[in-house]
Amino acid sequence: MRRNVLMYLRNLLSIVLEAALLLTATWLLSTFLLYAAFALWKLYNQTPMGTEFALSFPERVATINEIFSYQASHLAAKVTLSAFVLCMALAAVGQVLHVNRCLFYSRNVLERLLFWGPGLTALVSYYLYYTEYAFSSWEIIAVVAAIPTFCLFSKCYDYAGQLFPEIGDLLQFLGEQLKKLRQRIAATKE
């Protein structure tokens, strides 16, 4: 039992370190993409076509400017951390309830991207819209949340599979422990 606990703790530490590196890389990528998009947007606004676009679609310009009104590194950090926490929580619940095996692990990579990616991006976007930022709609933040969510969700499901037992395994373990306890009690009565 002690050996199993030590192995679990070693695995947990490994996952925490890997997740920290993954979060840092995702945050850096998101920050870079936001800065690059901002630079391209500023450049586009200086062209004749950009000026025409601004005159033709003022609502879209306001929406785009809304995204760029936040500091890129701060926005990327919030979105990355939120995506990780929400994906990890959903993956953990799915793992315990034995849902991941049917709906996630049985799918190929493309199916996972097409089925889980947009849904989890919407979840992260709704969360950020209602708790963190005052964007005019949740779809605006979805543009920013897509990259971190797509980068993180698959690994979150892998981590959940390594860290949390399925309910069937847990019930089986508890049944075995209960059986051993009954045997000890019976042995002490004799």
Side-chain angles (χ1 to χ4, degrees):
M1 177 80 166
R2 182 177 174 188
R3 182 172 165 263
N4 290 339
V5 170
L6 289 175
M7 285 177 48
Y8 180 81
L9 290 175
R10 186 176 298 136
N11 188 35
L12 177 63
L13 179 61
S14 173
I15 288 172
V16 167
L17 292 175
E18 182 182 329
L21 290 173
L22 179 64
L23 283 167
T24 302
T26 303
W27 169 69
L28 289 172
L29 173 66
S30 297
T31 301
F32 171 76
L33 290 174
L34 282 170
Y35 278 125
F38 179 70
L40 290 172
W41 176 245
K42 287 295 183 191
L43 184 64
Y44 179 71
N45 280 334
Q46 295 174 359
T47 66
M49 185 177 254
T51 306
E52 181 67 29
F53 179 81
L55 293 173
S56 300
F57 303 102
E59 312 85 31
R60 290 186 185 171
V61 171
T63 299
I64 293 168
N65 287 333
E66 195 174 349
I67 292 172
F68 294 132
S69 68
Y70 294 96
Q71 182 182 2
S73 61
H74 188 301
L75 179 61
K78 281 276 195 185
V79 171
T80 299
L81 189 59
S82 297
F84 181 78
V85 169
L86 289 170
C87 290
M88 193 66 199
L90 192 64
V93 169
Q95 177 68 23
V96 170
L97 295 178
H98 194 68
V99 173
N100 291 354
R101 188 177 294 201
C102 302
L103 296 178
F104 186 81
Y105 297 120
S106 64
R107 308 284 182 228
N108 65 37
V109 174
L110 184 60
E111 289 174 330
R112 289 177 188 176
L113 286 173
L114 293 175
F115 181 74
W116 287 98
L120 290 170
T121 299
L123 177 69
V124 172
S125 301
Y126 275 126
Y127 170 77
L128 290 168
Y129 174 68
Y130 286 110
T131 60
E132 298 290 332
Y133 296 100
F135 286 114
S136 57
S137 72
W138 70 271
E139 292 93 349
I140 296 169
I141 195 75
V143 173
V144 179
I147 297 295
T149 304
F150 274 81
C151 288
L152 295 171
F153 82 88
S154 187
K155 285 306 282 183
C156 287
Y157 277 83
D158 291 344
Y159 297 153
Q162 294 175 31
L163 293 175
F164 301 102
E166 291 179 336
I167 196 156
D169 296 337
L170 189 60
L171 292 175
Q172 181 182 0
F173 174 76
L174 291 174
E176 291 171 0
Q177 296 303 315
L178 188 59
K179 184 178 178 181
K180 287 180 184 178
L181 182 63
R182 287 182 187 155
Q183 288 173 352
R184 286 183 190 160
I185 291 172
T188 58
K189 289 184 179 180
E190 293 176 357

